[in-house]
Every structure is written in C-alpha cells, then in structure tokens.
Amino acid sequence: MIRGLVLRPLSENSGAEGATGIQAQGSARADSSREDGLPTKLPSSGHIIYEGNGASSQHYSAEFEARDIRGFQSSSGSGARTHIALQPVDKQNRSKLIINGFAHNRARFLGFYARQRMEDTWIWLTEDFSWQKGSADIAKLLVQPGQDVSEVGSVAGTNIVLEAQWAYPNGESANCGSLMFTNKLMAHALGGLNETSYHNTRAAFEYSLETGHTYFEVDLSYTADERLVASSPRIRTGDRNERELISDMTYERVMSLTSHGEPIMDARELYQLLSEHPQYCFELDFHFIVGEDAKKRIRSLLEDFNHDEEALSRLLIQVHTPEMHRDVDSVYHFEHYQYLIGMKMERLNDAITYSLDVGICALALRWSLATASVVERIKAAGLYILSYTAEYDPSLADALLRSGIDTVCTDHVTPGMLEAAEGLMGQKQFFVFYHSGDKGAVSRYSFDSNQLRLLRVKSGALEVRDSELWKNDGTQRMLPQRFTLKRRQFAGWRMRMKIDAKTHWYCSDGTFRTKKEALVAPPTERHLFHDQDIVPVISTLEGAKVVMVAQWLPTKRFARILEKWLPKRQ
C-alpha cells in the first residue's frame, strides 16, 4: 500500500505546463474531490500508477484520456509527482497496453522502472522478471510502452508504480531533481568569503558567482515579529560576540547587525537575487520546524517571493522529518524536496521509503557517513545524494563525487579547485608516525639509521616519525611498539589523520570519522590496532601523515590500587 499519497485533479492545478483538466471516467472512476475541497487519497490497490519523474508535460487528451486513464497532479508537491496518472487493472479487463503520456522538453524517454510497496519497503522489477529490494547489483527492467500490463505483475492488494526514466543528450539523468543535482558543488550559506563561513550574505553570493558556483544553499530564520531573514538560527552579536537566537530578536534589530562585517539580507532581498539570476538553483534550509511554525514561515516565504512560481520552482526545500515535509507541503506544493538524514543513519531505510512514497528526490547526509554500501542503497532507489560539508579540501570533494555522490556542499572549494584536484585522493602512498599517547611516556626506539626521528609535539607527548613512504597496498606492518609508561601497559594503537582540516579516526567499519561522528546510531568504534598489525589500504592524498596513537591501560597491580582508592575518594 502506498501510504500518505493524495491526488488532486488537474482542474485544481491548471497552471501546470501542458496540463489538461479531465473528468474521471469508466472503471477509472474514483471521487477526486470532496465538498471541503481537500483531495482524496489514492486507491490502495488495483492500479498502475504512472509517474512523470521530471516530465515537463503530459498529453492527457492524446494518450491517457483516450484510454480511460485519469490524469492527476499530486498534492504531495514533489517534482516526481508533478505528472501522474492512474490505470485501473481489474479481473474483467486485465490485459491493457502500457503507454507513455509524458513528454520532456530537453530529454529523451528511456522507459519505465516498475516498483511496488511491500510492507515497509519498496521492491523493483528486475530483468529476470523477479521483484527485489534495491541494491547496487540488481538490474532493473526498463518497461516499454506497448507491453501488456499483465507482463509487469499483479496489482492484487497493491499498486504498481511505473516511474519514467529520462536522459539528456549527454547521457546524464534528466529525472526529477536533475535541475539541482547536475551541479557538482553547492555553495554553503551562499559561500565562504575571506576565509570565513556561514555568511548568508550578498557579498558571499557575489564572490561565489565570480568563482564559478551555480548552486547555492541559504539558511532562513524567523524573527520575533515573524519576518524571514537569511541567517542561521543563531548569530553573533554585541561587544563580546555572543551568539543569540534570531527568534528572540526583532526584524529591525537583526537587520542592524552584520555577518562577518557584511549586511544581513532578508527573504525579499534573496528573492531579488533569484530574479536577477534565473539560471541558478538554491537550497533553502529552515532547520527543524514543524506545525504552525513551519506553516507561518512558508506563508512568509511565498509573500516575500511574490508567489513567483518560476522562482519557487528553482528551490530545493530541505526537510528533517515526514512531519516537517507534510506541514511545509500543506501550504505550498514545492516541486523539489530533500530529506536530511544528517548523522541519524538509523533512519536511512525509513527515509528512503518515505521519499519514494511522496516523491522526495534526494537525501542529504554527512560525507564521512556516505560509505559505499550507503551510497549504493540510496542510488538503487533512484534518489540523488548531497553530502556536507567539504569545507576546504577539493581533493575530498572530488573523491566524494567519484564515489557516486551527486553534489557536495562546500564553504571554500570552487569549481576551478575541484577540476585541478581530480584524482588526487585515492590509494596513495603515505607516512606513518607513532605517537606516545601520553606526555609521561618514554621512547625505547632505536635511531641508528636516518629512517626514524624523535620529536616532542605541542601536547608534550613524544612522536616517532618514519621517513619511509608506505605502499598503501595492505601488506606493510607497523614497527614494534617501543614506548613505555610508568604504571601503564600498552593496549594498542588508534589511527588518526587530518581530513579537511579536522582530525578523523579510523573506525572498525573502515571509515574515517570524527569522535562525534563515531557515536551516531548505529555507532562504530574507533579501531584498535595490535602491536605490529598490518596497516590497511586507505584513501588519502600522496604523502599524507597517518598518526598511530598509543593507548594505555593501568597495569593489573596499579588497577587494583585504583579500585581500592577511588571509591574512598568519592
């Protein structure tokens, strides 16, 4: 059963390109509206559901209406559901031809992918005519117009969704959301400026334009007197540069402040930017809002944007939960939504299912959590992926894009920097350093050759630096451990590396994560290497510095002393 999807007949959305209002006819008949003007729910079974999936128009009278098939626009508001139609399949008339009533003004039609909702997940029709869950290795069958509906499958107890597939002349996907996700980079908060981030200012936008950006993210917050301004929820104010909530300040006060010395914009000025640059797309981040608060902000946005449907069609609205999506969409049916997973990876399956239910086109998550298996699962569902935030490192952004991610959110990486960094990150050679893990540790390493040298680092700990470049082929072992620490025994090594100017730790699932990211659900532990373990193959820059940090435990005798002493002290 497809839950939560509601349909509105085209007569109530007559402004759509190529739309032709029709009445329900024959066996396709179902009440399309109620006296209160609200849409009715989609039938739960017995139908083929055609989805345009980015189609620019639909020829109802020429194709669907002539065959007694109802044409709709979805009230879910997503671009995948802008064009949709129902084809009933019943026992008396189960043999019907599949048709294509969709058109795309810039792309060619490839066929349909067929999927069904089974319990709490979606399954796809494969080339061997079996139904399988989405994964990287399944070969989905492209169903073509002219095939008999009975060849696709049974609609007993469910519906079958036929999702149109489109390709631009260069071969890239032209499906729903491609307007945004053909952009490889997105300028975070309108882009970084003068080595600062979180601007949301016109100056940052203009600098991003100069450096070649075509896709921009902007934060929108609500003032105490209910005006939308371009800012994250908190902003630095006052002589002590404290962070205050925008929601606690009046519009007048917010507009008297600056962001990194630049004037703050309101949503009306943001609309002016969109109007001046009709070739560019923008993601709006309202952060987590629900209920009447969400509805108020969307009403304000519509007013500030002068109800300009062309400008609104170039927005990608980021939502955090199904509730937020429903509340936002109840006010205005935006064409494009993005579901933020963030670091809550336990929600991945539910997020994929809900996105397919309502036609959300993309998921967003932290780049370090976008493992190969996660990327495969999202792409197999036909969704786009945005990862955030590669702040400074163009080689990291390039590696993420090559892994299958569609767009990387960034503060300071420019298109030119990205092009120059192509292929720099990979299975490159690196150096291994050995960190004592405690400033009280003593080195017993031998320095007879010039291969090793000993330094005392800023923390006061010792570090042994090996000048040999490691092959990064998964065959080389670490040097024997030669640090000692009074009343402690060596427990193992933890591996760390600087990535995008932050310390990341090698985890048991093979990823590099910050300490905070290692705690996400489901959590993963920082991997503990034993003495003289093999160093695994990792993705890094040529000549990167990998640091093995010694981990210490109390000796058994000292541990017994601590056990007796600590309870008394408490």
Side-chain angles (χ1 to χ4, degrees):
M1 176 179 178
I2 301 181
R3 302 171 185 168
L5 177 63
V6 286
L7 300 178
R8 191 183 300 278
L10 276 172
S11 57
E12 299 178 24
N13 291 278
S14 57
E17 178 186 357
T20 304
I22 66 169
Q23 300 296 321
Q25 299 178 14
S27 60
R29 186 173 182 82
D31 289 339
S32 59
S33 62
R34 307 190 315 217
E35 290 183 2
D36 57 11
L38 295 175
T40 56
K41 288 189 176 181
L42 180 73
S44 61
S45 62
H47 290 75
I48 296 288
I49 303 172
Y50 292 91
E51 287 190 358
N53 193 26
S56 54
S57 64
Q58 180 163 312
H59 305 295
Y60 292 111
S61 57
E63 298 289 349
F64 289 143
E65 186 178 7
R67 291 166 174 79
D68 198 22
I69 300 173
R70 303 178 68 207
F72 285 91
Q73 281 190 319
S74 162
S75 67
S76 71
S78 124
R81 304 298 170 89
T82 299
H83 299 293
I84 189 169
L86 299 178
Q87 181 175 3
V89 182
D90 51 42
K91 293 181 180 179
Q92 289 74 30
N93 191 13
R94 67 172 63 225
S95 295
K96 295 184 178 180
L97 297 183
I98 292 171
I99 61 172
N100 174 32
F102 303 119
H104 199 300
N105 56 16
R106 293 186 298 158
R108 64 186 179 90
F109 175 73
L110 302 178
F112 295 100
Y113 283 147
R115 55 184 168 90
Q116 282 185 310
R117 176 78 181 269
M118 300 300 292
E119 298 179 348
D120 294 325
T121 191
W122 285 90
I123 56 177
W124 277 263
L125 181 63
T126 64
E127 291 180 351
D128 63 0
F129 284 90
S130 65
W131 291 88
Q132 298 182 30
K133 292 182 180 180
S135 64
D137 56 352
I138 70 165
K140 298 177 185 175
L141 178 66
L142 265 177
V143 179
Q144 298 297 331
Q147 288 185 243
D148 196 290
V149 167
S150 62
E151 297 177 9
V152 177
S154 171
V155 294
T158 185
N159 294 312
I160 293 177
V161 176
L162 293 182
E163 189 176 78
Q165 302 296 306
W166 308 93
Y168 290 117
N170 63 2
E172 292 183 359
S173 168
N175 293 343
C176 164
S178 63
L179 179 69
M180 282 78 181
F181 288 93
T182 49
N183 297 286
K184 294 182 178 180
L185 296 178
M186 181 176 73
H188 182 218
L190 297 179
L193 178 63
N194 298 328
E195 299 184 1
T196 56
S197 306
Y198 296 94
H199 262 260
N200 290 297
T201 63
R202 179 182 283 267
F205 172 75
E206 290 175 347
Y207 176 75
S208 296
L209 282 182
E210 291 176 5
T211 56
H213 282 283
T214 56
Y215 188 25
F216 309 88
E217 185 260 2
V218 60
D219 301 284
L220 288 178
S221 296
Y222 222 27
T223 64
D225 46 354
E226 299 184 348
R227 289 287 302 275
L228 277 177
V229 293
S231 171
S232 54
R234 291 180 180 270
I235 190 170
R236 297 189 185 278
T237 62
D239 295 335
R240 290 182 294 177
N241 210 22
E242 294 179 347
R243 293 172 66 86
E244 294 186 40
L245 284 169
I246 294 289
S247 58
D248 290 340
M249 293 184 278
T250 64
Y251 170 79
E252 183 178 5
R253 183 176 178 223
V254 172
M255 297 305 289
S256 71
L257 302 172
T258 61
S259 176
H260 300 289
E262 297 293 339
I264 290 177
M265 292 193 301
D266 62 14
R268 294 177 184 178
E269 292 175 88
L270 178 63
Y271 168 60
Q272 184 181 7
L273 288 186
L274 266 79
S275 301
E276 292 171 354
H277 302 280
Q279 68 274 45
Y280 300 136
C281 300
F282 293 74
E283 180 206 307
L284 298 189
D285 188 356
F286 290 93
H287 299 272
F288 181 55
I289 52 171
V290 291
E292 191 57 33
D293 187 26
K295 296 174 184 179
K296 281 183 178 180
R297 297 191 194 198
I298 299 305
R299 293 188 193 106
S300 294
L301 178 74
L302 297 178
E303 182 178 343
D304 291 339
F305 273 50
N306 199 29
H307 295 267
D308 185 339
E309 292 190 4
E310 190 282 327
L312 295 170
S313 72
R314 290 186 282 120
L315 300 180
L316 179 73
I317 308 299
Q318 180 161 278
V319 295
H320 294 233
T321 62
E323 181 185 9
M324 180 177 174
H325 170 254
R326 289 191 292 266
D327 288 335
V328 168
D329 198 67
S330 69
V331 179
Y332 185 82
H333 306 314
F334 291 95
E335 288 190 23
H336 305 289
Y337 289 94
Q338 174 174 276
Y339 195 126
L340 176 68
I341 298 175
M343 296 196 300
K344 299 179 180 178
M345 297 304 291
E346 76 278 9
R347 303 192 313 178
L348 179 60
N349 288 337
D350 290 342
I352 291 174
T353 300
Y354 182 77
S355 296
L356 291 173
D357 283 350
V358 299
I360 290 176
C361 62
L363 299 185
L365 69 161
R366 282 287 183 97
W367 69 259
S368 58
L369 306 179
T371 62
S373 62
V374 168
V375 171
E376 288 172 0
R377 285 159 64 189
I378 298 174
K379 301 300 285 187
L383 302 175
Y384 297 99
I385 308 174
L386 178 138
S387 68
Y388 67 96
T389 301
E391 298 179 41
Y392 303 99
D393 191 346
S395 62
L396 171 62
D398 173 66
L400 293 170
L401 292 166
R402 286 188 287 114
S403 75
I405 287 169
D406 297 285
T407 298
V408 175
C409 181
T410 180
D411 290 302
H412 301 286
V413 177
T414 67
M417 294 165 62
L418 179 67
E419 184 177 357
E422 184 175 359
L424 289 184
M425 183 173 283
Q427 295 178 11
K428 311 293 185 179
Q429 292 183 317
F430 55 83
F431 295 103
V432 176
F433 296 168
Y434 302 89
H435 188 287
S436 68
D438 191 290
K439 61 183 179 182
V442 176
S443 170
R444 307 295 184 195
Y445 284 85
S446 172
F447 298 95
D448 294 338
S449 69
N450 294 326
Q451 181 179 336
L452 303 181
R453 63 190 182 106
L454 181 68
L455 294 90
R456 190 168 295 278
V457 294
K458 189 176 181 180
S459 66
L462 296 174
E463 192 169 274
V464 174
R465 299 189 173 179
D466 189 344
S467 62
E468 179 188 356
L469 267 173
W470 286 55
K471 297 177 182 178
N472 200 11
D473 60 0
T475 63
Q476 290 185 269
R477 293 184 181 275
M478 289 181 285
L479 296 176
Q481 200 285 117
R482 293 289 184 266
F483 290 118
T484 59
L485 182 61
K486 190 176 182 181
R487 295 180 175 176
R488 296 290 191 273
Q489 58 186 358
F490 177 72
W493 302 99
R494 297 200 195 278
M495 178 194 290
R496 76 181 186 204
M497 183 167 59
K498 283 281 188 181
I499 305 176
D500 201 27
K502 293 185 177 67
T503 298
H504 287 72
W505 297 83
Y506 183 78
C507 294
S508 56
D509 64 353
T511 62
F512 277 93
R513 306 188 186 190
T514 63
K515 287 183 179 180
K516 182 179 179 181
E517 290 165 352
L519 300 176
V520 302
T524 183
E525 295 181 351
R526 290 181 293 162
H527 185 72
L528 188 67
F529 292 88
H530 299 299
D531 191 17
Q532 299 183 70
D533 263 356
I534 290 176
V535 177
V537 176
I538 59 174
S539 182
T540 185
L541 292 171
E542 185 76 29
K545 299 172 181 60
V546 172
V547 181
M548 310 301 299
V549 182
Q551 307 296 302
W552 302 95
L553 291 173
T555 60
K556 291 181 179 180
R557 183 167 178 267
F558 187 51
R560 287 195 296 269
I561 295 173
L562 290 176
E563 288 175 3
K564 293 180 180 179
W565 178 70
L566 288 174
K568 293 179 181 179
R569 184 171 181 174
Q570 292 172 350

